[in-house]
Amino acid sequence: MPKKSLESAWDPESFRRNGHRLVDALAEHLHTTQQGNYPAYPGYEAEEMLQQWPDQFDAIGSNDFEDLVSRYLAGSTQLHSPNYLGHQVATPAPVFALAHLVSALTNQSGAVYEMSPSATAMEKHLVAWMASCLGFGPDADGFLVNGGAIGNLTSLLAARTAMRNSHSGLRLAILVSEQAHYCVARAAEILGLEHQAIVSVPADRSYRMDAGCLQSRKEMLEKNGFTVMAVAASACSTSTGTYDPLDAIADFCEKHGLWMHVDGAHGASAVLSAKYRGLVAGIERADSVVWDIHKMMLAPALATGVFFRRGAKALASLSQKAAYLLDDSSARFDGAQRSIECTRPALAVPTYLALHTLGTDVFGEFVTTMYDRARWFAGLLNNTENFKVAVPPESNIVCFRYAPLQDDSANNALQRHIRKTVLDDGKFYIVQTELNGTVYLRTTLMNPFSTEEVLQDLVARISNIGDQHLENRRHPGS
Ligand SMILES: Cc1ncc(COP(=O)(O)O)c(C=O)c1O
């Protein structure tokens, strides 16, 4: 390979040329994928994929950027395919991709205002808008971080600091929804809470936190020498997409002076939908809320809002000193004064630009459309022989099983077989979960192009796989 000059790495002309070609290729890929003309899942085992990408950087056979991108696209899980129905990862609106190009090239570091002047202003306005959507008042504040896991850690750090400031030397504990995302318990562990101080609150039959159990869990902890500092609710939970009863949890927290945290990574976007806003009634009473933009707001990973109802107090508890970087006079605008992360990309820029270019209404319309469709899908499943939904969906997550057998463990094995076969086919991408020992197929409707016809097609494919499997078991070798 001929050696290039150092400066050529920054050549504007090749950026322009390659950029135009790249956008053309991506637009073509988007078009093809959206038509469903591409497998939703490439279907290679991880080891096989590893072999396709040599570990020597001069051994790929071609150093052509376009070539590599086209191989990358072919080997990717296709989130724009109408047949993608898997995890809660957004089908990004292309305007976000353009905005990411802007933020990647300009590389504004959100650590301090001076390194990200316009990006900081955009973040302030975006955070204020999102906080008002949550129903928070003028005292609220927040910032953006890289993902829900970091958001939950940040919120619990603020909760712990608030508690420590008023009562030092206590053995602190936290009450967490049984169905909470694992990162909430992990955050508490990172903060140094003892294992037995992270207590799960049982869920009811719909997999939402049973708020009636909070009192007994708190008393049990106190009997063992702990002081409860916070309750972490899910809005909604990851597995089934059900919303914890936020108002009841807020009543409990207010009564006992506890910090109420809401992990709204997936479901806080319901505040944008006039039809579904009621699902998060009470979120405005939380002390902290985490809201992933990269789940239900059409944005690629990562951008998460962390919001505090009493902003000044919470942000002060997160503040740091660092003479080489941070200056008290700009504390209000320096992200590193409060974020666990120091350098952060200009996380607000894509969403700010998208809100301006698409308008705000499309985001609410998206939530309403996908939540409506999940309800329609559950109806289809319940009306199709041998299918059963785990719980009526509240969000756009639908868990169900194809269970024609009497024996439950055989039905569990069948769900695993169905999922594996679906992935081997590649046409659809779905995932699975386990609820109280029962295996379910799990779908999240992230793409408005996943129409009712697509869902009917999936149901037909699953029953076909299931029936074929049973037939093979009845007549092995036929
Ligand atoms: C409820 C909930 N909380 C937190 C997370 C973790 O968020 P992230 O993947 O953005 O770190 C997820 C991810 O699916 C989630 O569903």
Side-chain angles (χ1 to χ4, degrees), residues 257-467:
L258 304 181
W259 183 284
M260 175 179 173
H261 173 61
V262 176
D263 177 2
H266 183 88
S269 292
V271 298
L272 303 173
S273 159
K275 183 167 178 186
Y276 291 111
R277 203 194 188 296
L279 289 168
V280 284
I283 201 166
E284 70 287 351
R285 297 169 67 191
D287 293 284
S288 54
V289 174
V290 158
W291 178 359
D292 277 3
I293 296 171
H294 60 273
K295 286 194 167 59
M296 291 301 288
M297 286 186 71
L298 324 183
L302 284 166
T304 294
V306 185
F307 303 92
F308 298 101
R309 183 162 48 87
R310 283 168 293 206
K313 212 166 157 197
L315 297 186
S317 75
L318 295 169
S319 77
Q320 290 292 330
K321 295 259 175 262
Y324 48 85
L325 182 69
L326 303 173
D327 176 350
D328 284 349
S329 66
S330 57
R332 191 171 153 238
F333 293 103
D334 291 345
Q337 288 275 16
R338 55 197 75 108
S339 172
I340 290 172
E341 300 158 299
C342 177
T343 301
R344 290 173 305 145
L347 292 170
V349 173
T351 312
Y352 188 92
L353 296 178
L355 282 163
H356 271 286
T357 49
L358 299 176
T360 52
D361 287 354
V362 72
F363 294 87
E365 189 186 332
F366 173 69
V367 173
T368 305
T369 304
M370 302 325 293
Y371 280 30
D372 277 350
R373 200 160 298 159
R375 283 155 176 74
W376 181 89
F377 184 37
L380 171 71
L381 291 162
N382 281 334
N383 288 317
T384 308
E385 200 183 356
N386 294 327
F387 282 89
K388 191 173 178 310
V389 295
V391 60
E394 291 192 330
S395 62
N396 54 332
I397 298 171
V398 186
C399 297
F400 62 94
R401 60 202 318 242
Y402 180 71
L405 303 166
Q406 296 301 321
D407 174 4
D408 228 37
S409 68
N411 277 327
N412 281 350
L414 181 59
Q415 308 316 303
R416 293 194 181 97
H417 169 78
I418 289 171
R419 162 151 146 92
K420 182 170 181 328
T421 311
V422 166
L423 260 60
D424 289 346
D425 280 0
K427 177 173 176 180
F428 290 100
Y429 182 73
I430 59 172
V431 291
Q432 70 186 38
T433 190
E434 214 175 295
L435 299 164
N436 300 329
T438 302
V439 179
Y440 288 91
L441 300 169
R442 179 172 172 273
T443 52
T444 315
L445 278 49
M446 298 302 292
N447 185 345
F449 290 85
S450 303
T451 56
E452 293 174 1
E453 290 69 36
V454 168
L455 298 172
Q456 280 165 331
D457 201 12
L458 173 69
V459 169
R461 181 68 193 122
I462 289 174
S463 39
N464 186 268
I465 295 169
D467 292 347

Side-chain angles (χ1 to χ4, degrees), residues 10 58 135 139 201 232 366 375 478:
W10 285 268
D58 54 1
D139 291 343
V201 183
F366 173 69
R375 283 155 176 74
S478 66

Side-chain angles (χ1 to χ4, degrees), residues 43-100:
Y44 296 104
E45 294 293 339
E47 285 298 333
E48 233 180 310
M49 184 55 89
L50 211 54
Q51 297 310 316
Q52 292 190 22
W53 291 90
D55 55 3
Q56 299 299 311
F57 291 104
D58 54 1
I60 290 179
S62 160
N63 62 357
D64 183 69
F65 183 80
E66 256 174 275
D67 226 47
L68 294 172
V69 169
S70 114
R71 287 179 55 187
Y72 165 81
L73 292 175
S76 294
T77 302
Q78 306 297 339
L79 293 155
H80 290 94
S81 164
N83 301 323
Y84 173 87
L85 297 155
H87 291 291
Q88 311 137 266
V89 177
T91 304
V95 65
F96 280 97
L98 296 177
H100 271 265

